[in-house]
Amino acid sequence: MPEASMATPSPAAASPILELRDLTKHFRARRAGKTYTITAVNHISLDLVEGEVLGIVGESGCGKTTVGRMIIGLEQADEGEIRFGGSDILERRGAALKAARLKLRMVFQDPYASLNPRRSVEDSVAETGDIHGIFENAKHRREMVGEALTQVGLNPSFASRYPHELSGGQRQRVGIARAILPTPDVIIADEPVSALDVSIQAQVLNLLADLKARLGLTMMFISHDLGVVAKISDRVAVLYMGNVVEIGDGPALFADPQHPYTQMLIASVPRIDPASRVTGTVERGEPPSRFRAIEGCPFQDRCPKRTDICRTMPELLPTTPGRRVACHHVDAVVAAD
Ligand SMILES: Nc1ncnc2c1ncn2[C@@H]1O[C@H](COP(=O)(O)OP(=O)(O)O)[C@@H](O)[C@H]1O
Ligand SMILES: [Mg+2]
């Protein structure tokens, strides 16, 4: 089980702005008349270093969205801590919790579903500000919304429009404008370009990278698409069935994936880096059913390196500089810290 010290160490000068400690979430689900417990997120520990983009990647159902929703309070964590600004936000109530909610914001996957069709762009973008009473009057509200729209590359006149009058790319820009009014510290972007045409994806990715630099944001960038994650992320965490199986600096991780699952993911996207040292063949196939409890390594059923030891859970341990891998068959080094 990963302990607090198991999280990837931050670069010496940079301090973590957000720290997830042993975060865990179970869901109950019924199937064929039986009730099952699904561990959507299993004791995840991650740091977000101020100013970085941390990519979270993994196949559908691995728990990415649930991690994001727990951070912004849309889902209640069953176990663990979310440390932000010096304390665990899961323990906060009242004004201290409200302050965290203003500073931790989410951009959602589907700009069609996340915007209320009956609300104008102005009302949608102003929503968080309205809840927190930050606007002095209607004029101030209009100005702030106009500024947020300008920041995302939309003319302030878009304020009076409705979602059905917008293209997919424009809707997602509105979704981003909502998340930056008022300016947060951290943005959780959950598959922010997955619902967009490929031709629009690069524009929205560029906008996010640009806003990050301009507003001094820190970002958790969630996607099932390795190519998209590779483009924008400084560091990358690979999730498999609710577990972090590998984490490290983006370019190094894509050039030298160490966990058999990361190797499989990267081998399936050859355009990322044709020179990457991916060795051995990995059995493809689907992730095992979430309805069945697995003893030990969650990847064992699909892994070409599987041996008896894989029936015990591997720890996320340091391997090469900046890298941690949870695999019995990858050599760990003794941590320097
Ligand atoms: N509200 C919910 N009720 C029951 N199961 C859920 C709920 N939300 C997510 N899950 C399950 O938790 C697992 C992780 O889901 P999710 O976080 O959405 O994964 P991802 O975003 O990586 O696709 C999946 O097995 C999913 O079916
Ligand atoms: Mg998701």
Side-chain angles (χ1 to χ4, degrees):
M1 211 127 294
E3 288 169 16
S5 62
M6 286 299 156
T8 297
S10 329
S15 51
I17 185 168
L18 182 70
E19 302 171 63
L20 313 183
R21 292 281 166 268
D22 276 333
L23 207 56
T24 297
K25 178 70 187 177
H26 306 289
F27 288 113
R28 299 220 188 294
R30 284 187 70 78
R31 194 188 222 189
K34 283 172 82 176
T35 304
Y36 296 85
T37 299
I38 294 169
T39 304
V41 174
N42 188 19
H43 295 274
I44 279 183
S45 294
L46 286 172
D47 286 351
L48 248 78
V49 177
E50 197 161 353
E52 79 171 344
V53 178
L54 175 67
I56 307 284
V57 72
E59 290 156 299
S60 175
C62 70
K64 305 181 297 296
T65 293
T66 304
V67 170
R69 288 170 61 87
M70 284 192 284
I71 294 170
I72 64 156
L74 280 177
E75 209 74 74
Q76 218 185 326
D78 290 321
E79 283 179 59
E81 292 178 21
I82 300 174
R83 299 190 67 80
F84 176 67
S87 68
D88 180 8
I89 59 174
L90 301 177
E91 297 289 323
R92 292 190 203 173
R93 301 288 177 269
L97 182 61
K98 273 186 101 172
R101 296 278 165 258
L102 274 180
K103 293 293 183 188
L104 301 169
R105 308 272 283 285
M106 193 148 173
V107 173
F108 295 91
Q109 167 164 11
D110 187 348
Y112 292 80
S114 61
L115 294 179
N116 184 330
R118 282 182 294 277
R119 302 193 81 189
S120 68
V121 166
E122 175 164 340
D123 288 346
S124 282
V125 173
E127 188 178 349
T128 303
D130 286 339
I131 292 168
H132 292 262
I134 68 160
F135 304 118
E136 288 156 20
N137 50 44
K139 179 166 171 283
H140 181 228
R141 184 179 188 257
R142 203 156 45 239
E143 282 168 5
M144 297 281 280
V145 169
E147 214 171 283
L149 291 173
T150 305
Q151 293 271 20
V152 299
L154 292 176
N155 191 291
S157 66
F158 272 80
S160 58
R161 298 206 193 174
Y162 285 81
H164 73 268
E165 301 175 284
L166 308 177
S167 69
Q170 289 168 342
R171 285 184 208 209
Q172 194 53 299
R173 285 176 192 268
V174 170
I176 296 167
R178 298 176 82 182
I180 59 166
L181 179 60
T183 309
D185 290 340
V186 178
I187 286 205
I188 314 292
D190 183 15
E191 309 264 10
V193 301
S194 302
L196 303 177
D197 289 348
V198 173
S199 59
I200 309 294
Q201 288 190 353
Q203 292 175 18
V204 173
L205 279 181
N206 287 340
L207 170 65
L208 284 169
D210 212 56
L211 279 177
K212 192 211 88 166
R214 227 181 312 143
L215 303 177
L217 306 174
T218 305
M219 201 181 319
M220 178 179 275
F221 187 93
I222 297 172
S223 179
H224 70 282
D225 185 334
L226 267 178
V228 166
V229 168
K231 272 193 201 124
I232 196 167
S233 306
D234 301 305
R235 287 192 308 137
V236 173
V238 181
L239 256 59
Y240 189 76
M241 294 186 70
N243 300 274
V244 176
V245 296
E246 180 160 6
I247 181 166
D249 294 334
L253 186 141
F254 289 116
D256 173 31
Q258 295 174 4
H259 193 283
Y261 176 61
T262 316
Q263 293 177 349
M264 186 194 89
L265 276 183
I266 288 175
S268 68
V269 191
R271 69 195 151 91
I272 286 185
D273 181 5
S276 68
R277 294 197 287 115
V278 180
T279 52
T281 51
V282 180
E283 292 165 33
R284 298 304 309 279
E286 295 298 308
S289 165
R290 300 299 300 260
F291 292 95
R292 189 166 63 77
I294 293 184
E295 287 277 322
C297 176
F299 190 58
Q300 58 186 289
D301 287 2
R302 293 165 90 185
C303 186
K305 292 185 175 162
R306 176 188 55 212
T307 58
D308 285 350
I309 195 176
C310 304
R311 288 191 212 125
T312 61
M313 185 73 165
E315 280 185 69
L316 193 61
L317 295 174
T319 57
T320 48
R323 190 84 59 94
R324 283 172 192 251
V325 179
C327 175
H328 293 297
H329 296 287
V330 175
D331 289 337
V333 296
V334 178
D337 51 332

